[in-house]
């Protein structure tokens, strides 16, 4: 028997095509201006400066065992299995490993500095399409875990990520915002992004945490196998829609 999630059914309504319930005319004007002058560009520049202290692209390419020419395509494949780390990891975890290897301070995955570095590093793959490799056993296992995490109902309300993003819910409105198809929206290709409502740079995994908190679910730690798996899964959805990487993104 199909489980009916009453909280969602009661709170969502159908949205008219193209209607942005969450934005006033002033908000729309601000959003349009920010598309041309994204505040996150400042964070990306900060990330570049921080990353230069690790040796920049040459050091990253060496750590990953690829040429600098191959680096953009390699970055577009993250999260991915890194043999030297023995796991499927995000780019932020690679940065941490480089910091440890070089005897430098290891930034916390949830820190503003790490968000900035991650935005810069991922921006090196701009215009590439994600290339999650499900023929690699570790990455396939991570994808499967991410899909399971996405679809598994948790918490007292019995909600999951899928409760708001399944095909039969997409296009409805929850808390004044139309619910997107994450693949069509290219969510896996547009984070880190500047969030207007937070006035700061956020990452995809940090956004996952915000959704979990709003749904009264136990928040999964950034960098955990489940959270990395979720990023693999969402990145694969963007890949299937052939959405190019465009960092930094801009989100309401």
């Amino acid at each position: 028997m199909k489980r009916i999630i009453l909280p969602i059914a009661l709170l969502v309504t159908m949205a008219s095509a193209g209607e942005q319930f969450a934005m006033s005319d002033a908000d729309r004007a601000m959003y349009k201006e920010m598309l041309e002058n994204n505040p996150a560009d400042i964070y990306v520049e900060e990330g570049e400066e921080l990353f230069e202290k690790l040796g920049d692209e040459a050091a990253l390419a060496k750590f990953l065992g690829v040429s600098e020419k191959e680096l953009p395509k390699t970055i577009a494949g993250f999260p991915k299995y890194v043999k030297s780390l023995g796991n499927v990891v995000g780019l932020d975890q690679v940065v941490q490993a480089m910091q440890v290897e070089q005897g430098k301070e290891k930034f916390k995955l949830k820190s503003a500095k790490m968000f900035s570095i991650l935005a810069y590093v991922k921006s090196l793959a701009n215009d590439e399409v994600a290339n999650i490799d499900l023929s690699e056993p570790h990455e396939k296992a991570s994808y499967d875990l991410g899909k399971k995490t996405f679809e598994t109902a948790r918490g007292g309300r019995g909600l999951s990520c899928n409760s708001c993003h399944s095909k039969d819910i997409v296009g409805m409105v929850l808390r004044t915002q139309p619910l997107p198809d994450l693949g069509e929206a290219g969510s896996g290709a547009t984070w880190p992004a500047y969030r207007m409502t937070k006035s700061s740079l956020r990452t995809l995994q940090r956004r996952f945490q915000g959704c979990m908190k709003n749904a009264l679910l136990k928040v999964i730690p950034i960098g955990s196998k489940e959270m990395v798996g979720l990023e693999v899964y969402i990145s694969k959805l963007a890949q299937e829609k052939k959405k190019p990487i465009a960092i930094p993104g801009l989100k309401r």
Side-chain angles (χ1 to χ4, degrees), residues 20-239:
Q20 276 286 356
F21 287 79
M23 287 191 181
S24 64
D25 289 340
D27 284 340
R28 290 191 189 95
M30 184 184 300
Y31 183 80
K32 184 177 180 180
E33 182 180 348
M34 284 184 171
L35 283 174
E36 298 179 2
N37 300 284
N38 192 332
D41 290 336
I42 297 174
Y43 296 98
V44 175
E45 291 175 6
E46 177 189 33
E48 182 177 11
E49 292 176 1
L50 291 168
F51 195 65
E52 284 178 352
K53 297 176 181 179
L54 290 175
D56 216 338
E57 290 91 330
L60 177 60
K62 182 179 179 181
F63 185 88
L64 295 175
V66 300
S67 68
E68 286 189 59
K69 184 178 180 180
E70 296 173 303
L71 196 54
K73 186 175 181 180
T74 301
I75 290 171
F78 274 87
K80 68 182 297 157
Y81 179 69
V82 177
K83 187 175 181 180
S84 62
L85 300 181
N87 216 334
V88 176
V89 296
L91 284 165
D92 48 359
Q93 291 167 299
V94 169
V95 170
Q96 279 191 332
M98 291 176 66
Q99 290 173 322
V100 171
E101 184 179 76
Q102 296 180 22
K104 294 182 170 62
E105 174 193 1
K106 184 175 76 171
F107 297 154
K108 293 181 179 179
L109 295 178
K110 201 172 180 177
S111 69
K113 287 183 178 180
M114 182 59 83
F115 287 1
S116 293
I117 290 181
L118 181 58
Y120 171 69
V121 172
K122 192 164 183 179
S123 75
L124 297 175
N126 276 351
D127 298 324
E128 294 277 346
V129 173
N131 53 80
I132 302 298
D133 182 13
L134 298 188
S135 67
E136 203 290 319
H138 298 88
E139 292 175 35
K140 177 61 165 62
S142 182
Y143 171 89
D144 290 343
L145 177 59
K147 186 174 187 294
K148 179 180 178 181
T149 304
F150 188 88
E151 296 176 346
T152 299
R154 300 189 293 127
R157 291 179 174 178
L159 298 177
S160 69
C161 303
N162 200 50
S163 297
C164 291
H165 298 290
S166 63
K167 291 181 179 180
D168 57 337
I169 291 292
V170 165
M172 303 181 95
V173 173
L174 175 63
R175 297 175 66 185
T176 76
Q177 296 188 66
L179 297 168
D181 177 314
L182 297 183
E184 194 62 47
S187 296
T190 53
W191 293 87
Y194 185 84
R195 287 204 69 197
M196 294 169 63
T197 53
K198 300 296 183 182
S199 299
S200 64
L201 183 74
R202 296 299 174 97
T203 65
L204 183 57
Q205 292 190 29
R206 183 69 183 89
R207 184 68 186 99
F208 290 153
Q209 287 190 325
C211 288
M212 292 170 190
K213 183 178 180 180
N214 289 338
L216 302 182
L217 304 179
K218 183 177 180 180
V219 175
I220 300 172
I222 290 176
S224 64
K225 289 185 177 181
E226 291 82 5
M227 193 64 89
V228 172
L230 272 174
E231 186 169 352
V232 170
Y233 178 67
I234 299 302
S235 297
K236 184 64 177 178
L237 294 180
Q239 177 179 336

Side-chain angles (χ1 to χ4, degrees), residues 4-25:
I4 298 175
I5 307 300
L6 290 177
I8 293 297
L10 291 172
L11 290 172
V12 298
T13 57
M14 289 303 297
S16 301
E19 187 171 357
Q20 276 286 356
F21 287 79
M23 287 191 181
S24 64
D25 289 340

